[in-house]
Amino acid sequence: MSPLDTKLLRDLARIKGQVIAIVLVIAVGVLLQVMMSGLVASLSETRRAYYERNRLADVFAPVARAPEAELARLAALPGVARAEGRVVGAALIDLVEEAVPIQARALSLPDFGEATFNTIYLTAGRLPEPGGRDETLLLTAFARARGIAPGDRLPVTMNGTRRSLHVVGLAEAPDLLYIGVPGEMMPDPARVAALWMRRTELAAAYDMQGAFNEALIALSRDATEAAVLDRIDALLDPWGGTGAYGRSDLVSDRFVSEEIGGLATMARAVPPLFLAVAAFLLYIVVGRIVQSEREEIGQLKAFGYTNTEVASHYFKLVLAVAIAGAALGCLLGVLAGRAMIPIYLTFYNFPFLVFRPDPAAFAIGAIASVAAASAGGIIVLRRVFAFTPAEAMRPPAPPDFSRTITFTGRAARLLDQPTRMVLRGIARQPWRTLALAAGIAGGMALASGMTTIYGAFDRMMDLSFTVIDRSDGTVVFTHPLGEKAALELARIPGVFSVEPVRDVPAILRNGRETHRGSVTGLVDTPEIARAIDARMAPIALPDKGIVLSQALADILNIAPGEMLTVEVREGRRPVLEVPVTKVATSLIGAPAYMRLDALNRELAEPGRISGARLRVDPARAEEIWRLLKDRPTVAGVSVAKDARASLQKLMDQGAGSARYIMGAVAFVITFGIIYNAARIAFTERARDLASLRVIGFSKGEAAFILLGELAVIVLAALPVGSLAGYGLTFAIAAGFSSELYQIPAAFDPFSHGFAASFVLGAALVSGWMVKRDLDRTDLIAVLKSRD
Amino acid sequence: MTPAYSARGLSKVYGEGPSAVHALRGVDLDIPAGEIVVMLGASGSGKSTLLNILGGLDRASSGTAHFRDLSLTDLDDRALTRYRRNHVGFVFQFYNLMPSLTARENVELVTEIAANPMPADEALAMVGLKDRLDHFPSQLSGGEQQRVAIARAIAKQPEVLFCDEPTGALDSATGRAVLKVLNDVNARLGSTLLMVTHAASIAQMAHRVIKLADGAIRDVQVNATRLPPEEIHW
Ligand SMILES: Nc1ncnc2c1ncn2[C@@H]1O[C@H](COP(=O)(O)OP(=O)(O)OP(=O)(O)O)[C@@H](O)[C@H]1O
Ligand SMILES: [Mg+2]
């Protein structure tokens, strides 16, 4: 091996603490990049393949009841390539261990052969026999969560009739990638299900013989979706069509898209940020390392080594560190990505999902770190190369302190010599000081930003379940009932209060922006579930007008004062033009609120309610839910406690769990920066400090001079980092927020205090490690080392 | 015979303004090839500065310096590097070893890029360090480090050898051994040897003795007879 390469290895070993710190910092930056972009690539690719293989329909057209013959007319519409009808229905699964029935979607399978669209993916058992009575397939995720296997019996209520179904197999389908608990939208494999039965069987259960209530359609290649949707709506209107919609409005796909979109946004915004901080650190550290080798560089040049040869020597050093970091980061990124896959398999019903790292992420991670490190090295090398070898080899002239701070008068009397040395040291190299401070501020920003996000998740839960919606449970009726129904609920022993709601499906339009959702009618002065403004004060609902949640206002790109079109998809299906009066703070879903009476007036259905929110005696809650389970008018009950647990689980184990990885990454980077800052200060001062010790300064005084400087830099960096962290919070919160839930960004003093404590703690630990080395230094060796 | 080196009006000023230091003030000099030249002078008289300029380590402020036909003062950085690499061996006043390399590796650092080197072990043996090949500079005494530096310079078998106080840190017995090695290199390879020293008696082994004072040449003296290094005492 050439002596230069030997030198390289020994140098790496000598500064191993720093090398490890830098490698880790790069590694975690790259980890994040590889993990997130890999997840985006894997999810989108798997989804695409699944949709293609299992032929997800392009258009879904729900109707009340349309005769089979309409399918031919649908297929004949311009822009429609194929059409197929199926029967869908709502079912309740009544498990003994549950107080509330589990809501399920029942879907038909063709009596013979495969479906044209949304073909199922059988994960266990077999298909129901054609004509096999009571035979059903069950959604795999639900079966797993509940420990149900093929061969088991399942008590199911369909269309008001209780029956015992025979589970013959488990399945998944591309239109059920995501399936939320009705009324909550939370994905919870244990609390929502789907069943598939043969068409004849299901049609009998829902009175759909010779008819269908959902058409599935494939568009021809050159069709424009919007135009075809209009034609389908016109055709199906007489049959009670509630509006055809494309894939992008399919709830399942929308949530998966949200997830992928959110991940993609974060993958674009967050890892580069972390990588940038890591790169900056690398830039500084490599610069300092090269700077400290100034005399060696002079020597190499004196022996006749060319600039290129010298530069390539240091480039190898940079490369070794950067590549090690990038390689470790890729490895960890793939491991982290793989670890995340089961999470996605829990909340999304993918039949298969393989983590496939995105090669571009490897490249980006490696190139960014190598480039940053090289830049740091090259800038310093250029400076050193500008010297003649004689100049470079000479120990740097005693630095010129004549132009830094002079201490006169009171200051001179107040400051002792070591303190003056600290202050002069800082003032002498303002750029170096600034760079170190900027690095530490970057670390502080990442740490405080991420800690704030942790808190924000909890805040979101708290606000949602204790301020915005304070109900213990929500009852949904099978169809709109008179107000009397609420009074009946109130009479149940243990029910404290009842608040009726009217929820109607609707398409909200503002120009080109549309959203399929619902409008919630609330009583005049609601006590249980309210629209809340930014200051947590209840918003009074207007007699004419609508209040939108922030998420919805963002989706529709609309502001208070503007007019919104609401196409109600129920009853006589009025189309309303209403002003948006206020925007409400809402952290779960994207609700729109109107006054119950105003909504009913528009529907011309006075006094109708679709459900109610309840506050109940906690001791009797279980009993109350069990009672409700048996009422024929109750389509489902959603228990707040369960919903909260589902959301908590989603955030801890689902997409939100990325925050733990990001948090860990933030703290690793912060520590790396501070440790390196301390190391740099130490290497630069080793000789001075040894000289001081020789002339009689104590170890403590020497340490004070060294660490005092670090302390000042750290303290100066904290407020700056805190401010940057505040800004960062908004970016990260936006990345984590989806239509399902929104993460509120705010200044959180606790998080900033915590991050600051961490930074200070890291500074103390680094200071201690450096002090230990300082105490251990062999004075003679240091003084002998360079002349 | 063309001189190995010739300098005309060579000056070097460090710094500028009132604090400027005139390290060399118009030096004129000719050094014939193959000679041993000893440079004497008080501390601060400009010896190291002159050596550095002739060795291509530093640049003159004004004047010219030639190595054979090569105008050192006109060379760009790249050409100066090539000059040092192909023609010159150096022993610095300060030992300047790479702290992270062993004695042998420090020598190999130079032999690796030399055209016609001797093996590193052999060079170290010549300076009496064949038992310390694998020691790091921090494990060597000042004198031993100096000898490693000398081994590093001679291992290259250069046409010109610059030595800035090669015996400064050595006892006289070791110093004599080192001088013998240098003398051998000169005799065997015909290398031109430029040596700075504070020990005036060492001048007795030189072909030519140059005395510097205050940045200028005060006296050049050609020795009619030379003493072999073994007979020099200081
Ligand atoms: N980098 C520098 N900046 C300013 N002045 C310098 C520098 N290097 C040398 N000098 C000055 O130039 C003059 C000549 O220095 P030089 O090193 O050539 O002396 P020297 O004859 O080698 O002395 P010594 O015997 O002590 O090694 C001295 O006055 C020295 O202070
Ligand atoms: Mg000198």
Side-chain angles (χ1 to χ4, degrees):
Chain A
M1 187 162 46
S2 95
L4 268 188
D5 291 338
T6 311
K7 172 178 179 307
L8 180 77
L9 292 182
R10 299 231 176 90
D11 287 345
L12 282 174
R14 180 168 52 87
I15 54 170
K16 59 179 171 305
Q18 247 174 311
V19 168
I20 292 171
I22 301 171
V23 164
L24 279 182
V25 166
I26 300 175
V28 292
V30 172
L31 175 161
L32 222 50
Q33 175 84 41
V34 167
M35 179 189 84
M36 299 191 83
S37 62
L39 282 175
V40 171
S42 311
L43 286 171
S44 359
E45 175 52 27
T46 308
R47 175 177 64 166
R48 191 201 59 74
Y50 188 28
Y51 282 1
E52 191 180 294
R53 201 181 306 175
N54 291 44
R55 300 191 293 270
L56 181 71
D58 292 325
V59 171
F60 296 75
V63 282
R65 187 180 204 282
E68 196 72 7
E70 289 300 310
L71 282 175
R73 295 181 54 203
L74 268 178
L77 285 177
V80 173
R82 280 181 309 280
E84 187 185 39
R86 69 174 178 179
V87 174
V88 303
L92 292 176
I93 301 176
D94 188 359
L95 296 177
V96 244
E97 69 266 26
E98 283 296 308
V100 293
I102 283 149
Q103 307 189 46
R105 285 171 55 112
L107 303 154
S108 69
L109 296 169
D111 283 331
F112 300 98
E114 264 206 337
T116 313
F117 299 110
N118 306 354
T119 54
I120 53 149
Y121 178 87
L122 199 65
T123 58
R126 58 165 176 86
L127 288 169
E129 293 292 343
R133 257 195 74 76
D134 291 340
E135 285 191 354
T136 188
L137 293 178
L138 187 60
L139 186 69
T140 311
F142 175 75
R144 297 244 164 89
R146 292 290 182 179
I148 300 170
D152 290 351
R153 287 262 164 194
L154 203 61
V156 176
T157 308
M158 293 171 126
N159 213 10
T161 316
R162 260 184 93 99
R163 32 201 304 203
S164 168
L165 295 184
H166 181 209
V167 178
V168 296
L170 307 181
E172 293 172 342
D175 52 334
L176 295 179
L177 254 187
Y178 164 93
I179 167 165
V181 180
E184 295 170 17
M185 300 319 274
M186 294 307 144
D188 184 344
R191 294 197 302 124
V192 62
L195 308 164
W196 289 267
M197 296 173 76
R198 290 289 180 187
R199 173 79 175 264
T200 309
E201 275 289 299
L202 208 63
Y206 290 97
D207 298 326
M208 287 286 163
Q209 290 94 339
F212 62 90
N213 61 4
E214 186 176 51
L216 304 176
I217 288 153
L219 297 178
S220 48
R221 198 171 289 279
D222 48 0
T224 34
E225 192 185 278
V228 180
L229 290 183
D230 285 344
R231 280 180 218 127
I232 297 171
D233 282 347
L235 185 80
L236 292 179
D237 196 57
W239 307 105
T242 48
Y245 54 89
R247 278 186 187 182
S248 58
D249 280 318
L250 177 68
V251 174
S252 162
D253 186 70
R254 201 165 77 208
F255 280 100
V256 178
S257 294
E258 279 274 330
E259 179 76 48
I260 297 176
L263 256 177
T265 317
M266 267 204 290
R268 269 195 304 273
V270 178
L273 214 67
F274 281 58
L275 216 50
V277 175
F280 183 65
L281 171 69
L282 201 57
Y283 166 80
I284 294 182
V285 174
V286 169
R288 303 320 295 183
I289 291 176
V290 173
Q291 182 73 50
S292 72
E293 293 263 307
R294 178 185 143 128
E295 291 169 44
E296 278 86 347
I297 295 170
Q299 262 188 76
L300 290 173
K301 291 213 57 194
F303 298 148
Y305 278 90
T306 63
N307 286 355
T308 323
E309 284 165 337
V310 175
S312 78
H313 169 63
Y314 289 97
F315 187 66
K316 277 190 209 162
L317 182 117
V318 165
L319 220 55
V321 176
I323 299 270
L328 182 65
C330 287
L331 184 75
L332 293 178
V334 171
L335 291 181
R338 288 214 182 134
M340 295 284 287
I341 290 293
I343 287 167
Y344 285 97
L345 287 177
T346 313
F347 293 101
Y348 297 96
N349 301 306
F350 281 105
F352 48 86
L353 184 58
V354 189
F355 181 74
R356 210 172 320 182
D358 177 10
F362 285 96
I364 291 170
I367 290 172
S369 36
V370 171
S374 309
I378 284 167
I379 287 180
V380 177
L381 276 178
R382 283 180 65 100
R383 218 159 45 216
V384 177
F385 287 161
F387 293 117
T388 64
E391 287 165 330
M393 270 192 295
R394 206 173 292 134
D400 181 9
F401 278 99
S402 60
R403 274 189 291 172
T404 119
I405 329 170
T406 46
F407 300 97
T408 50
R410 268 173 71 86
R413 267 176 282 121
L414 280 176
L415 300 173
D416 58 3
Q417 276 307 331
T419 311
R420 288 186 213 187
M421 289 179 71
V422 167
L423 295 178
R424 286 201 180 110
I426 290 169
R428 175 165 55 104
Q429 292 173 300
W431 288 114
R432 192 205 65 149
T433 307
L434 266 180
L436 287 182
I440 296 173
M444 170 69 190
L446 295 183
S448 61
M450 281 316 302
T451 321
T452 304
I453 292 296
Y454 280 13
F457 273 81
D458 295 339
R459 214 169 96 82
M460 184 267 278
M461 297 283 278
D462 263 3
L463 286 180
S464 301
F465 289 99
T466 59
V467 178
I468 297 175
D469 184 348
R470 301 186 282 198
S471 66
D472 295 313
T474 302
V475 175
V476 178
F477 301 130
T478 47
H479 55 276
L481 300 175
E483 274 164 350
K484 216 167 67 229
L487 296 176
E488 275 169 25
L489 289 174
R491 275 204 292 273
I492 298 175
V495 171
F496 291 156
S497 57
V498 175
E499 205 163 86
V501 263
R502 174 93 205 246
D503 217 29
V504 292
I507 298 173
L508 310 176
R509 283 190 211 280
N510 174 37
R512 302 174 59 85
E513 318 292 343
T514 64
H515 175 77
R516 287 186 154 261
S518 65
V519 175
T520 307
L522 298 178
V523 294
D524 282 6
T525 44
E527 288 296 321
I528 299 181
R530 310 165 299 167
I532 294 284
D533 68 14
R535 272 170 291 127
M536 300 299 124
I539 296 174
L541 295 177
D543 186 47
K544 274 197 162 41
I546 192 165
V547 172
L548 301 183
S549 57
Q550 186 64 57
L552 190 50
D554 289 346
I555 293 172
L556 294 171
N557 190 19
I558 200 168
E562 293 174 18
M563 295 300 285
L564 179 72
T565 309
V566 179
E567 297 174 17
V568 178
R569 310 303 302 178
E570 196 182 289
R572 58 184 205 102
R573 290 197 250 158
V575 175
L576 321 178
E577 290 288 332
V578 284
V580 174
T581 56
K582 280 234 165 67
V583 169
T585 298
S586 155
L587 302 170
I588 297 183
Y593 305 103
M594 278 180 77
R595 251 168 57 181
L596 181 61
D597 50 358
L599 184 60
N600 277 337
R601 192 164 59 231
E602 297 290 355
L603 285 158
E605 294 176 8
R608 293 270 140 178
I609 61 175
S610 63
R613 296 215 164 80
L614 311 182
R615 283 183 69 77
V616 302
D617 180 353
R620 312 182 69 165
E622 184 85 5
E623 182 189 327
I624 295 167
W625 310 141
R626 281 199 187 274
L627 189 83
L628 289 173
K629 180 149 92 163
D630 294 330
R631 297 215 168 172
T633 52
V634 172
V637 179
S638 123
V639 179
K641 191 161 52 68
D642 295 346
R644 185 172 183 157
S646 297
L647 183 59
Q648 186 71 54
K649 191 166 147 206
L650 175 70
M651 289 190 312
D652 286 349
Q653 299 171 14
S657 64
R659 75 188 192 276
Y660 294 114
I661 296 180
M662 287 167 61
V665 166
F667 284 96
V668 169
I669 291 186
T670 308
F671 185 82
I673 291 172
I674 294 169
Y675 175 74
N676 271 292
R679 274 269 144 232
I680 289 171
F682 177 62
T683 0
E684 286 182 352
R685 293 304 194 78
R687 265 182 66 80
D688 295 358
L689 296 175
S691 311
L692 284 177
R693 297 266 289 105
V694 169
I695 63 172
F697 276 73
S698 71
K699 282 180 179 178
E701 282 165 326
F704 173 77
I705 293 168
L706 177 63
L707 300 178
E709 199 177 314
L710 182 66
V712 171
I713 295 176
V714 168
L715 290 179
L718 284 181
V720 181
S722 190
L723 203 65
Y726 177 61
L728 186 62
T729 305
F730 284 87
I732 304 177
F736 273 117
S737 298
S738 67
E739 203 182 307
L740 194 52
Y741 55 80
Q742 293 96 42
I743 300 304
F747 180 77
D748 173 24
F750 169 79
S751 301
H752 286 257
F754 180 81
S757 318
F758 178 81
V759 169
L760 291 176
L764 283 179
V765 172
S766 307
W768 173 77
M769 286 165 84
V770 167
K771 164 131 180 21
R772 200 186 46 174
D773 284 3
L774 180 67
D775 291 346
R776 278 199 205 142
T777 20
D778 178 357
L779 295 182
I780 308 304
V782 174
L783 291 177
K784 197 160 121 178
S785 69
R786 289 271 193 272
D787 46 46
Chain B
M1 193 174 185
T2 56
Y5 286 96
S6 63
R8 294 292 174 267
L10 208 57
S11 299
K12 177 72 182 180
V13 186
Y14 289 112
E16 46 194 81
S19 61
V21 177
H22 291 263
L24 292 180
R25 306 166 188 267
V27 168
D28 294 334
L29 179 74
D30 286 294
I31 296 173
E35 282 197 351
I36 296 179
V37 178
V38 164
M39 236 186 274
L40 297 172
S43 176
S45 56
K47 306 181 295 291
S48 297
T49 305
L50 181 56
L51 222 59
N52 285 343
I53 294 174
L54 295 181
L57 296 183
D58 210 348
R59 289 180 176 281
S61 306
S62 63
T64 60
H66 280 83
F67 169 69
R68 298 188 193 135
D69 300 331
L70 206 61
S71 170
L72 297 179
T73 35
D74 289 333
L75 293 184
D76 63 9
D77 195 53
R78 197 183 290 263
L80 265 183
T81 301
R82 210 177 311 124
Y83 159 68
R84 291 192 300 266
R85 184 174 185 138
N86 296 336
H87 305 290
V88 182
F90 249 105
V91 179
F92 307 109
Q93 180 168 9
F94 306 110
Y95 327 125
N96 280 325
L97 299 179
M98 296 275 171
S100 54
L101 295 180
T102 61
R104 189 210 315 256
E105 289 159 353
N106 260 288
V107 176
E108 283 169 350
L109 194 60
V110 173
T111 56
E112 188 175 70
I113 57 167
N116 177 34
M118 68 171 91
D121 299 9
E122 198 177 302
L124 282 162
M126 284 175 75
V127 295
L129 285 177
K130 67 171 184 301
D131 300 332
R132 312 298 300 268
L133 297 178
D134 295 321
H135 285 68
F136 286 96
S138 60
Q139 299 167 316
L140 297 171
S141 74
E144 286 163 344
Q145 291 186 49
Q146 180 71 316
R147 281 187 277 158
V148 174
I150 290 165
R152 187 171 62 183
I154 59 174
K156 188 174 175 180
Q157 313 213 50
E159 292 159 66
V160 194
L161 200 52
F162 290 95
C163 303
D164 201 341
E165 298 193 36
T167 57
L170 308 179
D171 64 88
S172 51
T174 318
R176 265 194 298 281
V178 163
L179 289 179
K180 185 171 173 330
V181 170
L182 293 176
N183 200 48
D184 286 354
V185 170
N186 167 261
R188 197 158 48 85
L189 302 174
S191 307
T192 310
L193 178 64
L194 248 90
M195 179 159 52
V196 168
T197 180
H198 280 289
S201 55
I202 293 179
Q204 291 169 282
M205 68 179 274
H207 296 96
R208 193 177 297 257
V209 182
I210 298 175
K211 289 195 177 129
L212 265 92
D214 216 4
I217 293 184
R218 216 189 45 199
D219 179 40
V220 179
Q221 177 195 322
V222 179
N223 285 341
T225 56
R226 297 167 52 219
L227 274 187
E230 294 86 340
E231 290 170 30
I232 296 175
H233 294 273
W234 69 90

